[in-house]
Amino acid sequence: MSPAPTAVAPASQLRSLGAYPPRQQDDESLFYGKRLIYICWENHLMYAAPFCLPLPPTLTFGLLVEAVLPELYGEHPEFEQIDWQRVHWFKGQRRFLPDFGKSLTHHGLGHKSLIRFITPALEGSRALSADGHQRF
């Protein structure tokens, strides 16, 4: 007969020999002047989760759209059809209107911010192909 498993002590009963300060492993200071920015193209499930990129805070929103997003989403069959003037932009859950000539910092996009965008004319995973299958 095997011995009964031992219970794990609750966190309140843990003891250490000295101070045990928590270290944040993804603090902005550890990314050589860049910030982690999450980017998500809503309803386009060819990409299962938001991308997380180390980007300079001085990157303009226009350069994000012109250089970064094509590298991330350019393989998607709908990407070339995006009308960037009609895109709905979000910082987390709040909608905002970006100034394409201003930096990420100007837009209030700090370390670990989430940029979401919705392309109203392109349905992505909500659309069905001609043969009735769900599209990307």
Side-chain angles (χ1 to χ4, degrees):
M1 193 161 147
S2 61
T6 57
V8 176
S12 62
Q13 293 181 9
L14 294 178
R15 298 172 195 236
S16 69
L17 298 175
Y20 190 72
R23 287 187 345 190
Q24 189 173 353
Q25 298 295 324
D26 59 355
D27 186 73
E28 184 174 353
S29 65
L30 302 174
F31 288 89
Y32 306 98
K34 297 185 178 178
R35 331 188 137 144
L36 295 180
I37 302 290
Y38 293 88
I39 301 175
C40 180
W41 184 8
E42 294 290 323
N43 302 321
H44 289 76
L45 299 179
M46 184 170 155
Y47 310 97
F51 287 98
C52 182
L53 305 171
L55 298 173
T58 56
L59 181 74
T60 64
F61 212 87
L63 198 52
L64 175 77
V65 170
E66 294 169 13
V68 176
L69 295 184
E71 289 293 320
L72 300 177
Y73 297 111
E75 294 295 320
H76 194 284
E78 291 183 335
F79 186 78
E80 291 297 322
Q81 301 169 45
I82 296 175
D83 178 354
W84 294 104
Q85 300 304 313
R86 296 184 64 209
V87 169
H88 298 180
W89 296 98
F90 296 83
K91 285 190 294 188
Q93 299 298 319
R94 300 185 76 184
R95 188 154 178 204
F96 78 106
L97 185 61
D99 180 332
F100 283 60
K102 303 282 180 151
S103 71
L104 298 178
T105 298
H106 171 83
H107 289 92
L109 294 161
H111 188 57
K112 297 197 265 184
S113 289
L114 169 63
I115 299 172
R116 298 172 37 240
F117 66 102
I118 296 173
T119 49
L122 307 173
E123 292 295 316
S125 63
R126 292 184 186 178
L128 297 177
S129 62
D131 62 0
H133 289 91
Q134 188 174 17
R135 292 174 39 193
F136 291 111

